[in-house]
Amino acid sequence: MIAEDQESGAAAGAVPHVVIVGAGFGGLYAAKALADAPVRVTVVDRRNHHLFQPLLYQVATAVLSPSDIAQPIRSILSGQKNVSVLLGEAREIDLDARAVVLDGERLGYDALVLAAGTSHAYFGHDEWEPFAPGLKSLEDAIEIRRRVLLAFEEAEREKDPVRRKALMTFVVVGGGPTGVELAGAIAEISRFALAEDFDRINPTKARVILLEAADRLLLTFPEKLSKKATAALERLGVEVRFGKPVTEIKPNVVCLGAEEIPAGAILWAAGVKASPLTRSLGAPIDRAGRVLVEKDLSIPGHPEAFVVGDLVSLTDSREKPVPGTAPAAMQEGQWAAANILKSVTGEATLPFHYRDRGNMAIIARGSAVADIKGLRLSGSIAWLAWAIVHVLNLIGYRSRLVVTIHWVWSYLTHQRGARLITNRASPSHTV
Amino acid sequence: MIAEDQESGAAAGAVPHVVIVGAGFGGLYAAKALADAPVRVTVVDRRNHHLFQPLLYQVATAVLSPSDIAQPIRSILSGQKNVSVLLGEAREIDLDARAVVLDGERLGYDALVLAAGTSHAYFGHDEWEPFAPGLKSLEDAIEIRRRVLLAFEEAEREKDPVRRKALMTFVVVGGGPTGVELAGAIAEISRFALAEDFDRINPTKARVILLEAADRLLLTFPEKLSKKATAALERLGVEVRFGKPVTEIKPNVVCLGAEEIPAGAILWAAGVKASPLTRSLGAPIDRAGRVLVEKDLSIPGHPEAFVVGDLVSLTDSREKPVPGTAPAAMQEGQWAAANILKSVTGEATLPFHYRDRGNMAIIARGSAVADIKGLRLSGSIAWLAWAIVHVLNLIGYRSRLVVTIHWVWSYLTHQRGARLITNRASPSHTV
């Protein structure tokens, strides 16, 4: 129970020390794949919980609670005797000295798995962030929920009809899976869950605008499914607009060139950038900061250091570009772990081979699109497939049961169980 | 759907306007009792949700999620046609003009129900609050959860054994029901839920200290049950200390005269004070700021203005002092509503009669004390009674089902489902 000196790597004993930075899908699956292996593992994360990110938009839109989709990293890994978990932020990776630099601590390693993930990218306009939060953490989700619900509350108290209309306008920037989910979910809240609850306003008249600078939604899907998604959103009353990039975001105003859209809440789902850790590596990175790794997922020149998850920029052994998705991160985490064990026994590492099991995006209750090895589904069958895949992949029986209950309840009643405005006592923002 | 002018009371039509300030148990039960009555009702609260406060300590100790015990006020009251809900903070009550002053709005009323509740009292030492948070809101509960869980995480990283021991010491100030619940729950977390999850520290060695300045716990209970509660806490490993008031609180240090107790987290459960609104009334108040109301719950000299819930200081029609509990608040809310309807029809109001249904306090899994009309229960039978009463009183079928699942799961596995550290990205506090 008492601390070993974690400073030293192999020197501490015969057992090699693997440090995993980040306990998202990539890092967690690497740690699990090293269970019972002849290594000791330290997982470092600045949060105490693993987050099931594919359902994060449901926290932002009041269907689920934070604890439904987040689990303490310690309790996930507590059965695994060779793993230690540390709460802390990796500030730098010293590849030459083989050490991860934390606040006030250096963790020496024999092998590294870098799985620190991505954050929002505002394309050089970080000043937009306070006005248009993105969706990456539980705090982000709670903030988005707060802003959307608060806009309706402020509209109820607003007497000026122009300002009231502005408060009831929601703009989602970016038509990828997260933007589609958020726009669909906000339209559903206003059409159903909130419909009967106000006196002075009619929530079903809320405008939801989804802005995509390209000419279609869900660029990673076949064009036919993009069209289906657009049509499904439009049936819900979402205004989908293509081809005009956002030129500026001010408090409660989105600008598209000369056009200004006043809004009660603006949400950002337009881009991600790699953890700043990759810039300290001295390794080749792409424009988004992702590492151009070797085919075996290692950093060029550092066969003991692997990168997994959204930080990876790679075309795999069959020349397929690997997407930044949860399934790809899980596979990379396991692959990196396998390659580390090969290095330990002196075997050659293997080039990563991505198994593409398909692509899904949810639009609303009973509506999704899925592209599974050429099989293109939409509507309620795609939605059912989405729901099953996501419940089965949640960690922990309790989460699966509780999430299923929330979904069934929400499906039957159109209500939202987590309609809480927290973290600010009083309404504070104005149009 | 479009706003009526809420400025005017009776002038707006024949229907009297009742304004209810606060949607805790008192305010909510007043609003419900006015369903289908010939009045229109406006409920004002600075939060969008009603909170089931008796279970708040379970959010603070990671058993339940915020949304399990909080419901939007709008959705609770959405079936009630004569009620409007406004999110806003009442800044002042103008009894003479019969108006509630909000930010940028005045709400005229014909009858008032003041149910604004209490906050923590630090007995003239408000500077202690940042070092020893109390438990009144969801934000408080999340902050307490964050501090307790973070202390264990910091202890895991701490190399100095003295500082490590300090981080693993938890001090709860105040031996009323909240203090007893918190101390018991923290002892349980450390003995069971966290026991296996750390490498460098042994969470079962955590010290939990409960400080009570008087000579026994749970002063509102019979002495025999106080002793049972003390014994039950001591069996869990809690150090219960009597008779020494806290003289100072500094960051992570509690002082009892010359004795200093370094701690990883300090929680305050030692006292409450009335909402500052009561001081603006010009009505007689007691030392804690509670209103010395007439027997019918009205403010002296203002028969149209009623006070309910924790803001009331009263001995009832049978000369029994009315406690500041949830059941008393519910009864007062209903009573005030009935008296308002009597005034409307010109009948005389009735003096409040408190029906005492008993008193319960929970200590830990399978352990509680209850005093039900002289029947004194302790141990698992009291605990079962406590669980049933609390589940049945939760608002909403979904909450009842989900809370029951969480409890059964927690009871069987000793685990905590909501062990999340949120609102701060990284560890930040130090001993």
Side-chain angles (χ1 to χ4, degrees):
Chain A
M1 287 289 174
I2 293 304
E4 282 180 66
D5 185 2
Q6 299 262 352
E7 286 298 315
S8 41
V15 182
H17 184 207
V18 181
V19 172
I20 299 175
V21 177
F25 287 111
L28 191 61
Y29 276 70
K32 288 181 159 203
L34 293 170
D36 306 320
V39 292
R40 66 189 176 90
V41 179
T42 302
V43 177
V44 180
D45 198 294
R46 57 181 176 161
R47 313 258 174 192
N48 84 321
H49 49 271
H50 168 75
L51 189 59
F52 193 80
Q53 283 212 343
L55 293 180
L56 191 56
Y57 85 97
Q58 297 211 346
V59 174
T61 56
V63 177
L64 298 178
S65 287
S67 66
D68 298 333
I69 60 162
Q71 287 252 330
I73 300 161
R74 289 194 186 287
S75 69
I76 298 173
L77 295 173
S78 72
Q80 213 169 306
K81 292 289 164 232
N82 64 340
V83 176
S84 300
V85 178
L86 278 191
L87 181 71
E89 183 149 8
R91 299 292 178 185
E92 200 195 318
I93 309 291
D94 187 340
L95 284 177
D96 294 326
R98 298 193 181 179
V100 175
V101 182
L102 309 179
D103 289 326
E105 196 169 1
R106 281 172 74 91
L107 275 179
Y109 64 78
D110 301 297
L112 174 75
V113 178
L114 183 60
T118 54
S119 60
H120 321 299
Y122 288 83
F123 309 125
H125 290 281
D126 287 349
E127 71 277 13
W128 296 351
E129 184 163 13
F131 316 132
L135 183 64
K136 272 284 169 190
S137 67
L138 287 176
E139 285 85 358
D140 292 340
I142 291 167
E143 176 64 16
I144 288 175
R145 182 177 78 183
R146 194 182 71 78
R147 291 191 186 204
V148 171
L149 296 176
L150 203 49
F152 283 103
E153 296 290 341
E154 301 235 320
E156 176 83 352
R157 280 189 60 182
E158 179 60 61
K159 283 172 179 151
D160 173 30
V162 174
R163 290 162 61 92
R164 194 159 55 214
K165 200 175 156 195
L167 281 166
M168 290 174 64
T169 301
F170 300 91
V171 179
V172 179
V173 184
T178 301
V180 167
E181 285 161 5
L182 284 172
I186 295 170
E188 277 195 300
I189 288 184
S190 60
R191 271 45 166 181
F192 301 105
L194 302 181
E196 305 292 324
D197 285 4
F198 290 81
D199 294 295
R200 303 178 184 179
I201 61 166
N202 181 350
T204 67
K205 301 268 193 245
R207 281 178 82 192
V208 182
I209 303 171
L210 177 59
L211 301 176
E212 169 54 55
D215 63 352
R216 66 181 180 102
L217 300 178
L218 302 174
L219 284 170
T220 59
F221 284 72
E223 208 163 327
K224 198 180 132 197
L225 291 181
S226 299
K227 285 204 174 114
K228 295 235 182 210
T230 307
L233 283 171
E234 286 173 345
R235 274 196 302 278
L236 274 172
V238 176
E239 301 171 34
V240 187
R241 296 174 59 177
F242 296 106
K244 278 200 177 167
V246 167
T247 51
E248 200 183 342
I249 300 184
K250 296 182 284 193
N252 294 298
V253 178
V254 177
C255 305
L256 302 170
E259 184 186 358
E260 296 205 339
I261 309 175
I266 306 164
L267 313 183
W268 186 261
V272 292
K273 64 177 178 214
S275 156
L277 278 178
T278 61
R279 293 180 198 277
S280 73
L281 293 173
I285 55 177
D286 71 8
R287 227 166 40 127
R290 295 176 305 175
V291 182
L292 302 166
V293 294
E294 302 284 0
K295 294 289 181 197
D296 69 350
L297 298 174
S298 69
I299 296 174
H302 291 277
E304 76 290 351
F306 296 85
V307 182
V308 304
D310 292 354
L311 290 185
V312 165
S313 177
L314 176 70
T315 53
D316 82 342
S317 56
R318 297 191 197 162
E319 298 307 318
K320 278 194 68 159
V322 182
T325 61
M330 295 175 191
Q331 292 177 31
E332 287 161 353
Q334 291 170 326
W335 204 276
N339 274 344
I340 285 170
L341 294 180
K342 283 188 192 301
S343 320
V344 167
T345 55
E347 287 176 72
T349 59
L350 290 179
F352 178 60
H353 167 201
Y354 171 56
R355 282 155 298 152
D356 185 358
R357 293 205 174 116
N359 209 354
M360 291 177 167
I362 185 151
I363 297 154
R365 177 176 176 274
S367 175
V369 291
D371 173 29
I372 301 163
K373 303 189 179 193
L375 178 69
R376 286 162 199 185
L377 305 174
S378 62
S380 40
I381 184 142
W383 178 79
L384 201 64
W386 175 91
I388 292 169
V389 165
H390 283 77
V391 158
L392 291 182
N393 277 290
L394 271 173
I395 288 169
Y397 289 108
R398 181 180 148 287
S399 288
R400 279 175 222 158
L401 180 61
V402 170
V403 166
T404 304
I405 289 170
H406 288 321
W407 284 356
V408 169
W409 183 82
S410 206
Y411 190 92
L412 295 177
T413 66
H414 275 299
Q415 291 300 313
R416 303 290 170 125
R419 256 172 61 195
L420 304 179
I421 299 174
T422 52
N423 286 348
R424 304 274 161 95
S426 309
S428 61
H429 85 294
T430 47
V431 171
Chain B
M1 290 291 175
I2 291 306
E4 279 179 67
D5 185 359
Q6 300 261 354
E7 286 299 315
S8 43
V15 181
H17 184 207
V18 181
V19 172
I20 299 175
V21 177
F25 287 110
L28 192 62
Y29 276 71
K32 288 181 160 201
L34 293 170
D36 306 321
V39 293
R40 66 189 177 87
V41 180
T42 303
V43 177
V44 182
D45 199 295
R46 60 182 174 161
R47 313 259 174 189
N48 84 323
H49 50 271
H50 168 74
L51 189 60
F52 193 81
Q53 283 210 346
L55 294 180
L56 192 55
Y57 85 97
Q58 296 210 348
V59 174
T61 55
V63 177
L64 297 178
S65 286
S67 67
D68 296 334
I69 61 160
Q71 286 252 327
I73 300 161
R74 291 194 182 288
S75 69
I76 298 172
L77 295 172
S78 73
Q80 213 170 305
K81 291 293 164 227
N82 64 340
V83 175
S84 300
V85 178
L86 279 190
L87 181 71
E89 183 149 9
R91 297 295 179 183
E92 198 193 319
I93 311 291
D94 187 340
L95 284 176
D96 295 326
R98 298 193 178 178
V100 174
V101 182
L102 309 178
D103 290 325
E105 195 168 359
R106 279 172 76 90
L107 275 178
Y109 64 79
D110 301 299
L112 173 74
V113 178
L114 184 59
T118 53
S119 61
H120 322 297
Y122 288 84
F123 309 123
H125 291 282
D126 287 350
E127 73 276 12
W128 297 350
E129 184 163 13
F131 316 132
L135 183 64
K136 273 283 169 191
S137 67
L138 287 177
E139 286 84 357
D140 292 340
I142 291 167
E143 176 63 16
I144 288 176
R145 183 177 76 185
R146 194 182 72 76
R147 290 190 188 203
V148 171
L149 296 177
L150 204 48
F152 284 102
E153 295 291 343
E154 301 235 321
E156 175 83 351
R157 279 188 62 182
E158 179 60 59
K159 284 173 180 153
D160 173 30
V162 175
R163 290 162 61 91
R164 193 159 57 212
K165 199 175 157 196
L167 282 165
M168 289 174 66
T169 301
F170 300 91
V171 179
V172 179
V173 184
T178 302
V180 167
E181 285 161 6
L182 285 172
I186 294 169
E188 277 194 299
I189 289 183
S190 61
R191 271 45 165 182
F192 301 105
L194 301 181
E196 305 293 323
D197 285 3
F198 290 80
D199 293 294
R200 302 179 186 179
I201 61 167
N202 181 352
T204 67
K205 300 268 192 244
R207 280 179 82 191
V208 183
I209 303 171
L210 176 59
L211 301 177
E212 168 55 55
D215 63 351
R216 65 183 178 101
L217 300 178
L218 302 174
L219 283 172
T220 60
F221 284 71
E223 208 165 325
K224 197 181 132 198
L225 291 181
S226 297
K227 286 205 175 113
K228 294 235 182 211
T230 307
L233 284 171
E234 286 174 345
R235 273 196 302 276
L236 274 171
V238 176
E239 301 171 34
V240 187
R241 296 173 58 175
F242 296 107
K244 278 201 179 168
V246 167
T247 50
E248 199 182 342
I249 300 183
K250 297 182 282 194
N252 294 301
V253 178
V254 178
C255 305
L256 302 170
E259 183 186 359
E260 297 205 339
I261 309 176
I266 306 164
L267 312 182
W268 185 261
V272 294
K273 64 177 178 215
S275 155
L277 279 177
T278 62
R279 294 180 197 277
S280 73
L281 293 173
I285 54 177
D286 71 7
R287 227 164 43 124
R290 296 175 306 172
V291 182
L292 303 166
V293 293
E294 302 284 1
K295 294 288 184 200
D296 68 351
L297 298 174
S298 67
I299 296 174
H302 290 277
E304 76 290 351
F306 296 84
V307 182
V308 304
D310 292 354
L311 291 186
V312 165
S313 177
L314 176 71
T315 54
D316 82 343
S317 56
R318 298 190 196 164
E319 299 307 319
K320 278 196 69 160
V322 182
T325 61
M330 294 173 191
Q331 293 177 30
E332 287 162 350
Q334 291 169 328
W335 203 276
N339 275 343
I340 286 170
L341 295 179
K342 285 188 192 299
S343 320
V344 167
T345 55
E347 286 176 72
T349 58
L350 292 180
F352 177 60
H353 168 203
Y354 171 56
R355 282 157 296 153
D356 184 357
R357 294 208 172 111
N359 209 354
M360 290 178 167
I362 185 153
I363 298 154
R365 176 177 178 274
S367 175
V369 292
D371 173 28
I372 301 163
K373 304 189 177 192
L375 178 67
R376 287 165 198 181
L377 305 174
S378 61
S380 40
I381 183 142
W383 178 80
L384 200 64
W386 175 92
I388 291 170
V389 165
H390 283 77
V391 157
L392 291 182
N393 276 291
L394 272 174
I395 287 170
Y397 290 109
R398 180 181 148 286
S399 287
R400 280 175 221 156
L401 180 61
V402 170
V403 166
T404 306
I405 290 171
H406 288 322
W407 284 356
V408 170
W409 183 82
S410 205
Y411 189 92
L412 295 177
T413 66
H414 276 297
Q415 291 300 312
R416 303 290 169 128
R419 254 171 63 195
L420 305 179
I421 298 173
T422 52
N423 287 347
R424 303 276 161 92
S426 307
S428 59
H429 85 293
T430 45
V431 172

